[in-house]
């Protein structure tokens, strides 16, 4: 503790794998050195060398540091208890045991923390400032830490017996010295007391910061003007080298977003205009608004841009600029590229709707309580390049179906008890919430609510836990070393994981959760793995629990019924609310093995609390748990069936097999679960009326709860098989396959062919279908995508139809996720399986296409205000691990008793009027400039071009046709080989009238990337002119090009092409063959193929 020693003292660790920060929760005093006797708020801070997740120790692997502050008062005032001139040290307020730590934003992109409960003490420790605001903010991104220290000099120091307002303006004068030492180098600096804040940035040097010294050392900049490792280094913010252009929202939304560069935090905030719709609790709030932006790096090295789209966020010195509505309960933001394709770049959603109770205090919350939301993304822009992108904001629906979202919900303004996550189906309230550390409730699963699709909150039936482990002495072993990560927020299929270890370090846990877009009921998938590291004897052990020990609401279920994959009912007991904290009450099972083959299912209901529900918020749900797969080794013996217990009358647990009392090193449990929450019978009619597409709700409306859960278990027990011999099956439910990639033909478009067999009837709702291992996030043609056919209708049994659920753009129905480990993309769809067997092809139109497989895609919302109609090279997200809180020792704080109310009160509907923006402007300080090194860069240059072919039917273009286009273009373009032509896409350009006359037109877009020196061009302009002149000649006489393409093609696709028109070229100022950044490659073994 304190100066960096161990001792089991509590620390807060935020670690991205490249940079880390350690906060001493006790604010311990140094015991030796230059700062002996002074409190050190952050004993460790800086760059991490050779990060290894398995061996990482923050108290040794993060460099030593000292962070504190000294207040020097030069003149006082006449207020009671006013400080005398002299020096005062920053410390904790009296009566505090810990630094008050609140989590503002947290996720895969960044973490923002406030540290409060701080004050100033005189040197003898006999005087402390009361009613004086002091707090520290920590903004940790993957490559940098911004540290901001705030104090308030607008009032006076005052005891509780005086009125500060009576002395308003009676400032005392002086300065604040920020005591800051990093890895042995002293960066301490003075700031005038009137400034009210001071900031420090510590960063990795791979972001355009520093030019002349060792890049393995950190870059440091502070608000006093100093930078580098010595204060005389001239520095500039990388943000000065980025040109930012932001358009307006699509669909006629007026108002310009407010762009705020914040060099002292190292980020760029884009506050949405007040005219962007705010949901009320109404059904007409689908969302679907695109905001285009452009980021141009004008410098010679890659620069990281930390970009945040926000609504009503608090900006120190500015305040809040807008208002939110009910969309905050369940919205999502998808990062699209400039052409409107989902980019796969991760977007971290962080939000809040908690006003302080008691009333908000800046001292405690730093201004971050209340209603706001943010979408946080981290982009690396290569040297001299432009990235065009779009924030696509969706609310209730995505592609016509109710969307799923999973986000960090800040509880700043309600509590300082750290991390809370909320997931929702639509934007009418929560579906399920998580308290990963159990710091509020001692339960990982908290609020659970039914969805009736009526945009109204429902009663809470929540409470559950993943691992309940008491050792042989009866002591509960808490989970520690939490690493929470929301990998994808949705909207088709979310994915989040939590890893931890028990306090006695005997059991390691990994918990993964996903939720799906659908039209029937909230469905959540869990994948859980426990690994036993050391032998341990337990007095109580539960592997999973519904209706948690530490959190339980409205759990008055009458019966528990359970069964197996054959449809057999294995057990049936009456539940009660005895709350006797005991097992085996009456006929309740205790560690009873569930016989038969899986999947095994457990149904709770009917819920007695539903009978008396008379308002929308009283309505509660029935629940079901399905164990899809189960495998374990317990006490050294393999186990293939789960066991069940009922604890305290109504808490249902998955248990270890009877007779096992000791776990041995090497034991494990791995299981996949499905957790459904569905309407009670009195509310079925409401759900059906509000979800007209759901056949599931109609089918189960008259069934008993156990019949519905049994049906869900059996119907979802389908089998996925590869039908081409190369597609790899990774999961059956959700469906997940990996597309084949040949090392010899890796540049050709990929495909996957597979079949889903559902022998027990049609699965509930929409089924997630994931195709992984794809090299690009873009589709090469309008006829390339997910095709499916079902045996449900004999008339269409042989016909494939392409999945197209688009609403506002051609792509707003599927999801793309980037996998940093494999450097590939996952495509995620949600489809309704309509037959016993459904065949899928991901790729081009299969061999027997329909005449009109899809509706004509709408054009991507790209306003002409953007610098270029085509995107430049896409930056890749920095492959750091998630910055996340990670206690390094056993938590010493005891969890609070069960709260009397849920910690996520229902947010109010949208305000009737938006607050005025006023005339306040964001501060725009001008930083100094600093030279930056010039890396060796290839002279490869790219030109984007397009041409329209009359007579070309885009829906008939195949993979071989794409290669034929490349060969034909290479034949007519000077100095260009077919391998120099990339990103070929073919899109329908026919007007409705031409389509009616069967006269097709299609636009062929492509990129020419060549080395200027090797191709014989003097500069980029000459290359562009050559391509432009050639296309002009082709437009005048297209015979040579069309014949070259037709000769190369193995199909008859180009036989009807009669001419070329509407050619265009755009020079892309980028270097597409630049080697990947160290950040992008080192964590993945280096090397690898060029990403396009």
């Amino acid at each position: 503790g304190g100066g960096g020693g161990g001792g089991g003292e509590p620390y807060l660790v935020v670690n991205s794998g490249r940079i880390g920060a350690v906060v001493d929760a006790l604010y311990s005093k140094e015991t030796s050195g230059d700062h002996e006797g002074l409190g050190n708020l952050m004993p460790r801070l800086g760059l991490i060398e050779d990060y290894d997740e398995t061996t990482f120790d923050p108290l040794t692997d993060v460099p030593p540091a000292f962070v504190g502050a000294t207040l020097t008062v030069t003149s006082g005032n006449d207020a009671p208890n006013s400080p005398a001139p002299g020096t005062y040290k920053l410390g904790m307020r009296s009566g505090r045991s810990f630094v008050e730590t609140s989590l503002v934003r947290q996720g895969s992109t960044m973490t923002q923390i406030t540290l409060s409960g701080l004050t100033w003490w005189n040197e003898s420790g006999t005087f402390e400032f009361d009613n004086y605001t002091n707090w520290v903010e920590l903004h940790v991104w993957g490559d940098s830490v911004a540290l901001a220290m705030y104090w308030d000099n607008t009032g006076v120091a005052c005891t509780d017996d005086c009125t500060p307002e009576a002395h308003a303006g009676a400032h005392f004068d002086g300065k604040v010295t920020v005591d800051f030492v990093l890895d042995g180098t002293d960066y301490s600096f003075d700031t005038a007391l009137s400034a009210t804040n001071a900031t420090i940035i510590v960063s990795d040097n791979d972001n355009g910061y520093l030019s002349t010294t060792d890049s393995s050392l950190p870059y440091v900049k502070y608000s006093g003007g100093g930078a580098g490792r010595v204060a005389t280094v001239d520095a500039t913010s990388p943000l000065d080298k980025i040109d930012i252009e932001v358009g307006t929202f699509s669909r006629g939304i007026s108002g310009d977003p407010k762009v705020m560069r914040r060099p002292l935090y190292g980020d760029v905030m884009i506050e949405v205009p007040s005219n962007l719709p705010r949901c009320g609790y109404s059904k007409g709030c689908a969302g679907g608004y695109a905001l285009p932006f452009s980021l141009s790096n004008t410098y010679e090295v890659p620069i990281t841009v930390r970009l945040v789209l926000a609504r009503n966020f608090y900006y120190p010195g500015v305040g809040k600029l807008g208002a939110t509505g009910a969309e905050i309960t369940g919205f999502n933001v998808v990062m699209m590229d400039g052409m409107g394709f989902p980019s796969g770049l991760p977007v971290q959603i962080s939000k809040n709707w908690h006003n302080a109770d008691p009333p908000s205090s800046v001292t405690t919350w730093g201004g971050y309580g209340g209603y706001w939301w943010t979408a946080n993304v981290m982009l690396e822009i290569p040297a001299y390049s432009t990235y065009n992108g779009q924030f696509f904001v969706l609310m209730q629906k995505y592609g016509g179906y109710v969307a799923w979202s999973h986000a960090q919900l800040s509880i700043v303004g309600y509590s300082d008890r750290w991390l809370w996550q909320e997931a929702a189906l639509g934007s009418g309230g929560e579906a399920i919430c998580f308290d990963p550390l159990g710091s509020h409730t001692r339960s990982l699963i908290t609020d659970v609510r039914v969805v009736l699709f009526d945009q109204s909150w429902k009663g809470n039936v929540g409470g559950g836990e993943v691992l309940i482990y008491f050792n042989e002495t009866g002591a509960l072993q808490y989970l520690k070393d939490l690493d929470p990560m929301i990998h994808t927020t949705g909207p088709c299929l979310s994915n989040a994981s939590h890893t931890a270890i028990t306090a006695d370090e005997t059991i390691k846990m990994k918990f993964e959760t996903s939720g799906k877009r659908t039209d029937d009921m909230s469905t959540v998938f869990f994948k859980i793995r426990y690994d036993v590291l050391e032998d341990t004897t337990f007095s109580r052990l539960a592997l999973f629990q519904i209706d948690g020990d530490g959190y339980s609401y409205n759990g008055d279920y009458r019966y528990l019924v359970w069964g197996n994959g054959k449809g057999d009912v294995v057990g049936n007991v009456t539940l009660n609310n005895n709350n006797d904290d005991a097992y085996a009450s009456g006929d309740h099972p205790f560690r009873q093995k569930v016989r038969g083959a899986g999947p095994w299912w457990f149904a709770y209901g009917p819920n007695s609390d539903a009978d008396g529900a008379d308002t929308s918020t009283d309505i509660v749900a029935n629940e079901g748990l399905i164990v899809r797969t189960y495998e374990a080794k317990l006490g050294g013996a393999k186990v293939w069936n789960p066991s069940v217990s009922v604890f305290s009358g109504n808490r249902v647990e998955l248990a270890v097999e009877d007779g096992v009392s000791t776990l041995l090193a090497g034991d494990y449990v791995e299981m996949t679960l499905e957790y459904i929450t569905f309407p009670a019978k009195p509310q079925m009619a409401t759900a059906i009326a509000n979800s007209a597409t759901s056949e599931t709700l109609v089918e189960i409306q008259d069934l008993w709860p156990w019949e519905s859960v049994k049906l869900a278990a059996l119907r979802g027990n389908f089998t996925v098989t590869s039908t081409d011999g190369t597609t790899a099956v990774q999961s059956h439910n959700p469906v997940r396959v990996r597309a084949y990639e040949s090392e010899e033909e890796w540049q050709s478009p990929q495909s996957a062919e597979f079949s889903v067999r559902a022998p027990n009837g049609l699965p509930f709702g929409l089924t997630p279908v994931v195709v992984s291992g794809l090299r690009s996030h873009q589709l090469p043609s309008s006829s390339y995508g997910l095709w499916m056919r079902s045996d449900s209708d004999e008339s269409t049994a042989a016909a494939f139809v392409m999945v197209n659920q688009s609403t506002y753009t051609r792509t707003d129905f599927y999801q793309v996720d980037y996998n940093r480990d494999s450097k590939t993309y996952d495509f995620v769809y949600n489809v309704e399986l309509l037959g016993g067997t459904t065949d899928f092809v991901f790729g081009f139109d299969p061999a027997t296409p329909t005449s009109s497989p899809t509706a004509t895609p709408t054009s991507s919302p790209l306003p002409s205000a953007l610098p270029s109609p085509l995107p430049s090279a896409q930056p890749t997200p920095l492959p750091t691990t998630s910055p996340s809180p990670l206690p390094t020792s056993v938590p010493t704080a005891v969890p609070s008793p069960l709260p009397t109310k849920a910690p996520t009160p229902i947010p109010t509907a949208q305000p009737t009027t938006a607050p005025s923006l006023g005339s306040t402007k964001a501060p725009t300080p001008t930083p100094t400039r600093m030279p930056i090194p010039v890396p060796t860069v290839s002279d490869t240059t790219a030109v984007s071009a397009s041409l329209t072919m009359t007579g070309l039917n885009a829906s008939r273009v195949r993979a071989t046709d794409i290669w034929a286009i490349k060969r034909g273009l290479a034949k007519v373009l000077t100095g260009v080989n077919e391998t120099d032509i990339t990103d070929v896409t073919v899109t329908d350009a026919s007007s409705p009238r031409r389509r009616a006359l069967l006269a097709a037109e299609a636009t062929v877009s492509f990129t020419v990337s060549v080395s200027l020196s090797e191709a014989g061009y003097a500069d980029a302009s000459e290359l562009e002119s050559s391509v432009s002149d050639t296309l002009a000649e082709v437009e005048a006489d297209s015979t040579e090009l069309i014949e070259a393409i037709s000769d190369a093609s193995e199909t008859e696709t180009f036989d009807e092409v009669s001419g070329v028109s509407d050619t265009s070229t755009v020079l892309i100022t980028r270097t597409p063959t630049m080697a990947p950044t160290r950040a992008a490659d080192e964590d993945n073994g280096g090397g690898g193929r060029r990403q396009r």
Side-chain angles (χ1 to χ4, degrees):
E9 296 183 0
Y11 291 91
L12 171 65
V13 180
V14 188
N15 157 45
S16 75
R18 293 169 61 183
I19 198 163
V22 179
V23 176
D24 183 355
L26 300 180
Y27 206 163
S28 305
K29 294 182 178 180
E30 292 287 315
T31 57
S32 62
D34 295 338
H35 299 91
E36 183 177 355
L38 302 181
N40 187 356
L41 187 60
M42 299 182 64
R44 295 275 168 172
L45 174 65
L47 304 184
I48 300 170
E49 296 291 334
D50 301 323
Y51 177 77
D52 184 341
E53 182 181 5
T54 61
T55 61
F56 175 68
D57 182 351
L59 297 184
T60 58
D61 294 340
V62 179
F66 181 89
V67 176
T70 303
L71 168 64
T72 302
V73 177
T74 56
S75 64
N77 54 45
D78 60 353
N81 202 29
S82 178
T87 58
Y88 302 83
K89 294 293 184 179
L90 189 66
M92 280 194 299
R93 288 181 177 274
S94 59
R96 303 294 202 279
S97 300
F98 295 90
V99 175
E100 294 177 5
T101 306
S102 296
L103 193 60
V104 181
R105 291 180 286 167
Q106 190 275 334
S108 61
T109 302
M110 68 89 62
T111 296
Q112 179 184 350
I113 299 166
T114 61
L115 308 173
S116 56
L118 307 175
T119 189
W120 303 98
W121 288 88
N122 64 0
E123 293 186 351
S124 63
T126 58
F127 174 89
E128 71 173 302
F129 286 46
D130 289 329
N131 296 336
Y132 191 71
T133 300
N134 299 274
W135 80 91
V136 173
E137 288 185 21
L138 201 59
H139 298 234
V140 182
W141 294 77
D143 62 345
S144 65
V145 174
L147 183 66
M149 187 175 295
Y150 288 90
W151 57 88
D152 181 10
N153 193 29
T154 59
V156 297
C158 180
T159 67
D160 292 336
D161 298 327
C162 73
T163 305
E165 289 78 5
H167 303 274
H171 302 252
F172 50 88
D173 299 320
K175 66 177 181 179
V176 171
T177 300
V178 178
D179 303 314
F180 180 47
V181 178
L182 183 64
D183 205 9
T185 301
D186 194 334
Y187 297 97
S188 300
F189 61 97
D190 295 339
T191 301
L193 186 62
S194 59
T196 72
N197 69 83
T199 60
I200 301 166
I201 290 180
V202 179
S203 175
D204 191 325
N205 271 322
D206 289 340
N207 304 292
Y209 274 108
L210 203 59
S211 62
T212 58
T213 54
D214 186 354
S215 63
S216 66
L217 298 175
Y219 161 80
V220 180
K221 177 177 174 59
Y222 47 81
S223 57
R229 282 166 295 285
V230 292
T232 57
V233 172
D234 183 27
T236 182
S237 167
L239 294 180
D240 289 346
K241 300 297 185 182
I242 297 291
D243 291 338
I244 303 172
E245 294 189 40
V246 179
T248 57
F249 275 99
S250 63
R251 298 174 56 200
I253 304 302
S254 62
D256 294 325
K258 187 176 184 64
V259 181
M260 289 169 282
R261 298 174 186 251
R262 305 199 302 174
L264 298 181
Y265 292 97
D267 60 20
V268 177
M269 309 292 295
I270 303 175
E271 181 76 18
V272 304
S274 58
N275 289 333
L276 181 70
R278 296 185 297 272
C279 289
Y281 287 108
S282 61
K283 302 175 189 176
C285 185
Y289 305 99
L291 178 67
F293 65 88
S294 174
L295 304 173
S296 296
N297 182 1
T298 63
Y299 209 47
E300 55 208 9
V301 295
I303 292 179
T304 298
V305 179
R306 304 162 195 88
L307 191 64
V308 183
L309 184 72
R311 179 167 232 171
N312 201 39
F313 195 59
Y314 174 72
Y315 305 103
V318 178
K320 294 188 175 184
L321 303 177
T324 68
E327 84 276 0
I328 199 171
T329 63
F331 80 106
N332 226 313
V333 177
V334 177
M335 178 65 75
M336 304 283 193
D337 69 9
M339 295 184 70
F341 289 103
S343 68
L345 298 178
V347 179
Q348 170 189 322
I349 305 295
S350 294
K351 58 189 181 181
N352 196 3
W353 62 64
H354 298 96
N355 287 313
D357 182 16
S360 180
S361 166
V362 163
T363 305
T364 304
W365 310 120
Y368 295 103
Y371 290 56
W372 52 262
W373 57 253
T374 61
N376 309 268
V377 65
M378 191 171 174
L379 302 169
E380 184 178 83
I381 312 298
Y384 297 127
S385 70
T386 296
Y387 179 71
N388 293 332
Q390 303 175 49
F391 286 110
F392 190 79
V393 180
L394 58 102
M395 298 171 185
Q396 171 74 358
K397 291 186 176 182
Y398 186 60
Y401 290 96
V402 180
W404 183 268
S405 62
H406 186 157
Q408 180 240 341
L409 175 62
S410 176
I411 50 178
V412 168
Y414 176 84
S415 163
D416 63 354
R417 302 234 175 166
W418 205 239
L419 179 63
W420 194 269
Q421 294 177 356
E422 180 251 0
L425 182 61
S427 54
E430 303 164 337
I432 187 170
C433 294
F434 302 94
D435 180 6
L437 194 58
S439 53
H440 244 113
T441 63
R442 217 207 79 190
S443 290
L444 188 147
I445 300 171
T446 56
D447 301 10
V448 176
R449 305 176 193 272
V450 70
V451 178
L452 301 184
F453 306 101
D454 58 353
Q455 294 299 97
S456 177
W457 282 60
K458 299 297 177 276
N460 183 5
V461 295
E465 185 58 284
V466 287
L467 180 65
I468 302 174
Y469 162 46
F470 290 77
N471 65 13
E472 61 181 333
T473 66
L476 174 65
Q477 300 301 300
Y478 289 89
L479 295 173
K480 65 171 187 174
D481 288 5
L482 168 71
D483 185 7
M485 170 85 84
I486 299 177
H487 304 275
T488 56
T489 61
C492 296
L493 186 69
S494 66
N495 181 258
S497 65
H498 309 94
T499 60
I501 192 170
T502 55
D504 61 3
E505 300 187 350
T506 59
I507 304 176
K508 187 176 181 180
M509 180 272 287
K510 183 173 183 179
F511 170 78
E512 298 180 61
T513 178
S514 299
K516 70 173 183 177
R517 163 178 168 250
T518 190
D519 64 353
D520 57 350
M521 65 186 69
S522 172
T523 303
V524 184
F525 304 98
F526 299 138
K527 182 177 181 180
I528 303 173
R529 171 86 186 196
Y530 304 123
D531 285 287
V532 181
L533 307 180
E534 298 180 10
D535 295 0
T536 182
T537 299
F538 57 87
S539 57
R540 180 187 173 198
L541 182 65
L543 305 176
F544 190 82
Q545 182 187 60
I546 292 294
D547 212 20
D549 284 357
Y551 197 85
S552 174
Y553 278 89
N554 298 317
D556 192 10
Y557 295 103
R558 295 176 188 168
Y559 306 108
L560 168 66
V561 182
W562 65 98
N564 58 33
K566 290 184 177 181
D568 300 333
V569 174
V570 177
N572 178 9
V573 297
T574 301
L575 300 176
N576 57 60
N577 282 322
N578 288 342
N579 295 320
D580 55 5
D581 289 339
Y583 288 105
S585 173
D587 61 351
H588 289 176
F590 176 63
R591 297 172 68 174
Q592 179 178 320
K593 183 177 180 179
V594 184
R595 61 178 174 81
W600 304 272
W601 48 272
F602 305 84
Y604 321 105
N607 192 321
S608 299
D609 292 315
D611 298 340
D614 54 10
T615 69
S616 63
T617 55
D618 287 336
I619 293 172
V620 295
N622 292 320
E623 298 176 291
L625 181 68
I626 301 165
V627 182
R628 290 277 172 212
T629 63
Y630 182 89
E631 178 183 337
K633 185 166 72 169
L634 302 171
K638 293 297 288 286
V639 180
W640 302 100
N641 287 57
S643 296
V644 61
S645 296
V646 173
F647 180 72
S648 196
N650 65 348
R651 298 173 195 166
V652 180
E653 298 177 353
L654 297 180
V656 295
E657 194 171 50
D658 193 21
V660 177
S661 60
T662 298
L663 299 179
L664 305 180
D667 281 359
Y668 67 91
V669 176
E670 184 167 277
M671 53 187 175
T672 57
L673 314 178
E674 189 174 324
Y675 180 38
I676 60 175
T677 309
F678 55 99
K681 193 170 184 177
Q683 286 79 46
M684 272 292 184
T686 301
I688 292 171
N690 292 315
S691 186
T693 62
S694 176
E695 297 182 7
T696 299
L697 294 174
V698 174
E699 183 177 5
I700 69 172
Q701 62 180 320
D702 294 322
L703 300 183
W704 282 92
W706 69 267
E707 293 176 303
S708 298
V709 177
K710 169 187 170 181
L711 206 60
L714 299 183
R715 297 279 184 88
N717 190 32
F718 39 78
T719 303
V720 183
T721 57
S722 170
T723 56
D724 61 2
T726 58
T727 299
V729 177
Q730 298 176 312
S731 171
H732 298 278
N733 189 3
V735 176
R736 183 180 178 90
V737 300
R738 182 175 179 85
Y740 175 70
E741 177 178 336
S742 167
E743 289 297 325
E744 292 76 20
E745 301 178 1
W746 68 273
Q747 288 183 319
S748 62
Q750 294 167 273
S751 64
E753 298 182 18
F754 53 99
S755 177
V756 178
R757 183 174 177 269
N760 300 317
L762 304 184
F764 280 13
L766 302 184
T767 298
V769 176
V770 183
V771 181
S772 68
L774 300 169
R775 292 182 302 271
S776 174
H777 71 281
Q778 293 184 338
L779 300 177
S781 166
S782 60
S783 64
Y784 186 97
L786 183 66
W787 297 78
M788 59 185 293
R789 67 179 177 186
S790 171
D791 61 4
S792 61
D793 187 346
E794 293 182 1
S795 64
T796 61
F800 280 90
V801 176
M802 191 165 82
V803 177
N804 187 350
Q805 303 157 343
S806 60
T807 303
Y808 300 110
T809 76
R810 58 182 174 173
T811 63
D812 66 340
F813 65 94
Y814 64 89
Q815 172 183 321
V816 178
D817 301 324
Y818 179 69
N819 187 310
R820 293 182 299 192
D821 293 332
S822 63
K823 296 185 180 180
T824 59
Y825 295 87
D826 298 347
F827 276 62
V828 186
Y829 298 84
N830 305 93
V831 300
E832 189 172 7
L833 301 181
L834 299 176
T837 299
T838 304
D839 296 323
F840 290 91
V841 172
F842 182 84
F844 287 100
D845 188 354
T848 310
T850 57
S851 57
S852 299
T854 64
T856 302
T858 58
S859 59
S860 173
L862 242 186
S864 58
L866 285 179
S868 167
L870 293 173
S872 63
Q874 174 189 329
T876 58
L878 298 180
T880 59
T881 55
S882 167
S884 58
L886 179 63
T888 61
S889 58
V890 180
T892 57
V894 178
S896 64
L898 182 66
T900 56
K901 61 178 181 179
T904 52
I906 300 173
T908 59
Q910 72 177 76
T912 55
T913 58
S916 171
L917 296 182
S919 59
T920 305
K921 295 184 177 180
T924 54
T926 303
T928 57
R929 297 188 177 273
M930 175 185 66
I932 299 179
V934 180
T936 301
V937 177
S938 160
D939 69 341
T940 298
T941 302
V943 173
S944 286
S946 66
L947 52 87
T948 299
M949 288 186 171
T950 303
L952 177 60
N953 188 334
S955 67
R956 297 186 179 276
V957 175
R958 306 289 184 271
T960 56
D961 295 326
I962 296 295
W963 278 100
I965 292 173
K966 292 183 179 183
R967 294 186 181 102
L969 288 170
K971 187 171 183 179
V972 299
L973 293 172
T974 303
V976 175
N977 298 317
E978 61 189 59
T979 56
D980 298 328
I981 300 172
T982 61
D983 300 333
V984 177
T985 61
V986 181
T987 56
D988 189 3
S990 307
S991 66
R993 176 175 174 78
R994 290 185 64 85
R995 283 196 299 274
L997 298 174
L998 300 179
E1001 273 188 335
T1003 297
V1004 178
S1005 302
F1006 59 97
T1007 299
V1008 179
S1009 302
V1010 299
S1011 167
L1012 296 178
S1013 58
E1014 293 177 4
Y1017 290 103
D1019 54 26
S1021 298
E1022 187 177 12
L1023 170 64
E1024 182 188 19
S1025 296
S1026 175
V1027 175
S1028 179
D1029 292 344
T1030 300
L1031 293 186
E1033 295 172 3
V1034 167
E1035 188 171 354
D1037 184 359
S1038 59
T1039 304
E1040 182 182 4
L1041 175 63
I1042 295 173
E1043 288 181 353
I1045 296 175
S1046 295
D1047 291 342
S1049 175
E1050 299 176 358
T1051 69
E1052 298 177 354
T1053 305
F1054 296 91
D1055 289 359
E1056 301 299 322
V1057 176
S1058 59
V1060 170
S1061 62
D1062 298 331
T1063 61
S1064 67
T1065 58
V1066 176
L1067 177 65
I1068 301 177
T1069 54
R1070 60 166 175 152
T1071 55
T1073 58
M1074 177 180 288
T1077 63
R1078 176 173 63 84
D1081 263 356
E1082 282 190 350
D1083 289 351
N1084 297 282
R1089 296 196 184 93
R1090 182 178 65 197
Q1091 295 298 301
R1092 295 181 296 143

